[in-house]
Amino acid sequence: MELSAKTFQVTRADLVRYAGASGDFNPIHWSDRFATGVGLPGVIAHGMFTMALVGRAVTEWAGSPDAVVEYGVRFTRPVVVPDDDQGAEIEVTARVREVTEEGLTRLDVTATCGGEKVLSQARATIRTTR
């Protein structure tokens, strides 16, 4: 069973806000010159910010933050955020892998940007009964 897709826009302004909240002011997250100078295609979103957005989708599917029992990902490729008003779009989908007798639902989660997977081994377990 597939869950409804969730879409998140990520702009440079979001990266600035996240940098302030996280304390991660690495210039790869705000300077095109620096990012391309180290071999990146441009400014990239913080990996943990991407993970948090996907976690938000999982929380919405679960219906409550305390219904998320487990959540983990591996970072596959960066989310490049252009310097424009649209930024980048991350689409998050999930498929139910298993529903246990204990009332847990295990999800296989997919996050893409520009048609390419940005996370791998993204999985979540949510509580489906209280």
Side-chain angles (χ1 to χ4, degrees), residues 18-41:
Y18 185 82
S22 69
D24 182 351
F25 294 99
N26 188 323
I28 64 173
H29 302 304
W30 55 268
S31 169
D32 281 305
R33 184 177 42 145
F34 188 87
T36 57
V38 297
L40 294 167

mmCIF file of all heavy atoms in Angstrom, residues 18-41:
data_model
loop_
_atom_site.group_PDB
_atom_site.id
_atom_site.type_symbol
_atom_site.label_atom_id
_atom_site.label_comp_id
_atom_site.label_asym_id
_atom_site.label_seq_id
_atom_site.Cartn_x
_atom_site.Cartn_y
_atom_site.Cartn_z
ATOM 1 N N TYR A 18 17.713 27.363 8.862
ATOM 2 C CA TYR A 18 18.189 26.112 9.446
ATOM 3 C C TYR A 18 19.606 26.278 9.993
ATOM 4 O O TYR A 18 19.928 25.766 11.071
ATOM 5 C CB TYR A 18 18.140 24.965 8.427
ATOM 6 C CG TYR A 18 18.514 23.656 9.078
ATOM 7 C CD1 TYR A 18 17.570 22.934 9.806
ATOM 8 C CD2 TYR A 18 19.809 23.165 9.016
ATOM 9 C CE1 TYR A 18 17.914 21.760 10.453
ATOM 10 C CE2 TYR A 18 20.163 21.987 9.658
ATOM 11 C CZ TYR A 18 19.213 21.296 10.370
ATOM 12 O OH TYR A 18 19.557 20.135 11.013
ATOM 13 N N ALA A 19 20.451 26.993 9.269
ATOM 14 C CA ALA A 19 21.813 27.236 9.755
ATOM 15 C C ALA A 19 21.776 27.933 11.112
ATOM 16 O O ALA A 19 22.530 27.568 12.024
ATOM 17 C CB ALA A 19 22.605 28.065 8.747
ATOM 18 N N GLY A 20 20.904 28.918 11.251
ATOM 19 C CA GLY A 20 20.789 29.625 12.523
ATOM 20 C C GLY A 20 20.304 28.721 13.643
ATOM 21 O O GLY A 20 20.792 28.783 14.771
ATOM 22 N N ALA A 21 19.354 27.857 13.331
ATOM 23 C CA ALA A 21 18.798 26.967 14.353
ATOM 24 C C ALA A 21 19.784 25.857 14.725
ATOM 25 O O ALA A 21 19.876 25.466 15.887
ATOM 26 C CB ALA A 21 17.490 26.350 13.856
ATOM 27 N N SER A 22 20.533 25.362 13.742
ATOM 28 C CA SER A 22 21.418 24.217 13.980
ATOM 29 C C SER A 22 22.836 24.622 14.362
ATOM 30 O O SER A 22 23.578 23.817 14.922
ATOM 31 C CB SER A 22 21.480 23.334 12.730
ATOM 32 O OG SER A 22 22.174 24.009 11.692
ATOM 33 N N GLY A 23 23.222 25.844 13.996
ATOM 34 C CA GLY A 23 24.594 26.274 14.213
ATOM 35 C C GLY A 23 25.549 25.801 13.129
ATOM 36 O O GLY A 23 26.757 25.964 13.238
ATOM 37 N N ASP A 24 25.003 25.212 12.048
ATOM 38 C CA ASP A 24 25.835 24.713 10.942
ATOM 39 C C ASP A 24 25.922 25.782 9.854
ATOM 40 O O ASP A 24 25.053 25.872 8.995
ATOM 41 C CB ASP A 24 25.238 23.420 10.377
ATOM 42 C CG ASP A 24 26.065 22.816 9.256
ATOM 43 O OD1 ASP A 24 27.023 23.474 8.782
ATOM 44 O OD2 ASP A 24 25.746 21.694 8.829
ATOM 45 N N PHE A 25 26.969 26.577 9.907
ATOM 46 C CA PHE A 25 27.151 27.673 8.960
ATOM 47 C C PHE A 25 28.181 27.342 7.884
ATOM 48 O O PHE A 25 28.806 28.232 7.310
ATOM 49 C CB PHE A 25 27.554 28.949 9.705
ATOM 50 C CG PHE A 25 26.475 29.464 10.602
ATOM 51 C CD1 PHE A 25 26.506 29.203 11.965
ATOM 52 C CD2 PHE A 25 25.407 30.172 10.087
ATOM 53 C CE1 PHE A 25 25.488 29.664 12.796
ATOM 54 C CE2 PHE A 25 24.390 30.635 10.910
ATOM 55 C CZ PHE A 25 24.438 30.376 12.269
ATOM 56 N N ASN A 26 28.363 26.068 7.585
ATOM 57 C CA ASN A 26 29.291 25.653 6.545
ATOM 58 C C ASN A 26 28.931 26.372 5.242
ATOM 59 O O ASN A 26 27.769 26.373 4.835
ATOM 60 C CB ASN A 26 29.196 24.129 6.365
ATOM 61 C CG ASN A 26 30.251 23.568 5.436
ATOM 62 O OD1 ASN A 26 30.613 24.177 4.445
ATOM 63 N ND2 ASN A 26 30.723 22.385 5.771
ATOM 64 N N PRO A 27 29.901 27.001 4.586
ATOM 65 C CA PRO A 27 29.591 27.774 3.386
ATOM 66 C C PRO A 27 29.036 26.968 2.210
ATOM 67 O O PRO A 27 28.491 27.543 1.269
ATOM 68 C CB PRO A 27 30.911 28.452 3.014
ATOM 69 C CG PRO A 27 31.945 27.893 3.899
ATOM 70 C CD PRO A 27 31.287 27.142 5.005
ATOM 71 N N ILE A 28 29.120 25.636 2.239
ATOM 72 C CA ILE A 28 28.505 24.851 1.161
ATOM 73 C C ILE A 28 26.987 24.999 1.181
ATOM 74 O O ILE A 28 26.315 24.675 0.207
ATOM 75 C CB ILE A 28 28.894 23.350 1.204
ATOM 76 C CG1 ILE A 28 28.378 22.673 2.469
ATOM 77 C CG2 ILE A 28 30.385 23.181 0.998
ATOM 78 C CD1 ILE A 28 28.578 21.159 2.518
ATOM 79 N N HIS A 29 26.458 25.528 2.291
ATOM 80 C CA HIS A 29 25.014 25.702 2.430
ATOM 81 C C HIS A 29 24.543 27.120 2.112
ATOM 82 O O HIS A 29 23.359 27.409 2.227
ATOM 83 C CB HIS A 29 24.567 25.313 3.842
ATOM 84 C CG HIS A 29 24.923 23.911 4.214
ATOM 85 N ND1 HIS A 29 24.536 22.813 3.485
ATOM 86 C CD2 HIS A 29 25.661 23.432 5.247
ATOM 87 C CE1 HIS A 29 25.012 21.721 4.052
ATOM 88 N NE2 HIS A 29 25.702 22.062 5.112
ATOM 89 N N TRP A 30 25.481 28.003 1.706
ATOM 90 C CA TRP A 30 25.046 29.363 1.373
ATOM 91 C C TRP A 30 25.874 30.053 0.291
ATOM 92 O O TRP A 30 25.436 31.040 -0.293
ATOM 93 C CB TRP A 30 24.973 30.254 2.614
ATOM 94 C CG TRP A 30 26.236 30.329 3.427
ATOM 95 C CD1 TRP A 30 26.572 29.548 4.487
ATOM 96 C CD2 TRP A 30 27.330 31.238 3.256
ATOM 97 N NE1 TRP A 30 27.809 29.896 4.983
ATOM 98 C CE2 TRP A 30 28.290 30.940 4.251
ATOM 99 C CE3 TRP A 30 27.590 32.270 2.349
ATOM 100 C CZ2 TRP A 30 29.476 31.634 4.373
ATOM 101 C CZ3 TRP A 30 28.785 32.968 2.472
ATOM 102 C CH2 TRP A 30 29.701 32.650 3.487
ATOM 103 N N SER A 31 27.064 29.547 -0.022
ATOM 104 C CA SER A 31 27.931 30.225 -0.994
ATOM 105 C C SER A 31 28.134 29.359 -2.235
ATOM 106 O O SER A 31 28.790 28.310 -2.169
ATOM 107 C CB SER A 31 29.292 30.535 -0.354
ATOM 108 O OG SER A 31 30.221 30.954 -1.341
ATOM 109 N N ASP A 32 27.594 29.816 -3.367
ATOM 110 C CA ASP A 32 27.817 29.094 -4.623
ATOM 111 C C ASP A 32 29.304 28.986 -4.942
ATOM 112 O O ASP A 32 29.781 27.931 -5.370
ATOM 113 C CB ASP A 32 27.106 29.806 -5.788
ATOM 114 C CG ASP A 32 25.623 29.503 -5.829
ATOM 115 O OD1 ASP A 32 25.259 28.314 -5.869
ATOM 116 O OD2 ASP A 32 24.833 30.461 -5.821
ATOM 117 N N ARG A 33 30.015 30.061 -4.736
ATOM 118 C CA ARG A 33 31.450 30.086 -5.054
ATOM 119 C C ARG A 33 32.196 29.023 -4.242
ATOM 120 O O ARG A 33 32.989 28.260 -4.780
ATOM 121 C CB ARG A 33 32.015 31.472 -4.777
ATOM 122 C CG ARG A 33 33.459 31.642 -5.155
ATOM 123 C CD ARG A 33 33.889 33.056 -4.908
ATOM 124 N NE ARG A 33 33.310 33.469 -3.623
ATOM 125 C CZ ARG A 33 33.890 34.267 -2.761
ATOM 126 N NH1 ARG A 33 35.047 34.790 -3.029
ATOM 127 N NH2 ARG A 33 33.326 34.590 -1.635
ATOM 128 N N PHE A 34 31.902 28.949 -2.960
ATOM 129 C CA PHE A 34 32.574 27.959 -2.117
ATOM 130 C C PHE A 34 32.131 26.542 -2.483
ATOM 131 O O PHE A 34 32.960 25.642 -2.621
ATOM 132 C CB PHE A 34 32.297 28.231 -0.633
ATOM 133 C CG PHE A 34 33.117 27.376 0.283
ATOM 134 C CD1 PHE A 34 34.388 27.776 0.668
ATOM 135 C CD2 PHE A 34 32.643 26.150 0.727
ATOM 136 C CE1 PHE A 34 35.163 26.969 1.494
ATOM 137 C CE2 PHE A 34 33.412 25.336 1.544
ATOM 138 C CZ PHE A 34 34.679 25.749 1.936
ATOM 139 N N ALA A 35 30.809 26.344 -2.638
ATOM 140 C CA ALA A 35 30.278 25.007 -2.933
ATOM 141 C C ALA A 35 30.867 24.451 -4.238
ATOM 142 O O ALA A 35 31.324 23.307 -4.285
ATOM 143 C CB ALA A 35 28.752 25.041 -3.002
ATOM 144 N N THR A 36 30.871 25.271 -5.285
ATOM 145 C CA THR A 36 31.425 24.786 -6.557
ATOM 146 C C THR A 36 32.943 24.631 -6.464
ATOM 147 O O THR A 36 33.511 23.767 -7.118
ATOM 148 C CB THR A 36 31.044 25.697 -7.735
ATOM 149 O OG1 THR A 36 31.496 27.034 -7.476
ATOM 150 C CG2 THR A 36 29.540 25.680 -7.973
ATOM 151 N N GLY A 37 33.567 25.446 -5.629
ATOM 152 C CA GLY A 37 35.009 25.352 -5.439
ATOM 153 C C GLY A 37 35.451 24.045 -4.789
ATOM 154 O O GLY A 37 36.600 23.621 -4.954
ATOM 155 N N VAL A 38 34.560 23.402 -4.062
ATOM 156 C CA VAL A 38 34.898 22.114 -3.445
ATOM 157 C C VAL A 38 34.297 20.951 -4.228
ATOM 158 O O VAL A 38 34.253 19.819 -3.753
ATOM 159 C CB VAL A 38 34.498 22.051 -1.950
ATOM 160 C CG1 VAL A 38 35.264 23.081 -1.143
ATOM 161 C CG2 VAL A 38 33.002 22.187 -1.760
ATOM 162 N N GLY A 39 33.803 21.250 -5.452
ATOM 163 C CA GLY A 39 33.348 20.182 -6.329
ATOM 164 C C GLY A 39 31.860 19.864 -6.295
ATOM 165 O O GLY A 39 31.418 18.930 -6.958
ATOM 166 N N LEU A 40 31.090 20.639 -5.560
ATOM 167 C CA LEU A 40 29.639 20.431 -5.543
ATOM 168 C C LEU A 40 28.995 21.156 -6.719
ATOM 169 O O LEU A 40 29.564 22.121 -7.242
ATOM 170 C CB LEU A 40 29.039 20.937 -4.222
ATOM 171 C CG LEU A 40 29.459 20.154 -2.970
ATOM 172 C CD1 LEU A 40 29.073 20.919 -1.715
ATOM 173 C CD2 LEU A 40 28.840 18.768 -2.983
ATOM 174 N N PRO A 41 27.800 20.747 -7.126
ATOM 175 C CA PRO A 41 27.144 21.420 -8.249
ATOM 176 C C PRO A 41 26.572 22.785 -7.901
ATOM 177 O O PRO A 41 26.147 23.527 -8.770
ATOM 178 C CB PRO A 41 26.029 20.448 -8.643
ATOM 179 C CG PRO A 41 25.798 19.607 -7.445
ATOM 180 C CD PRO A 41 27.099 19.550 -6.692
#
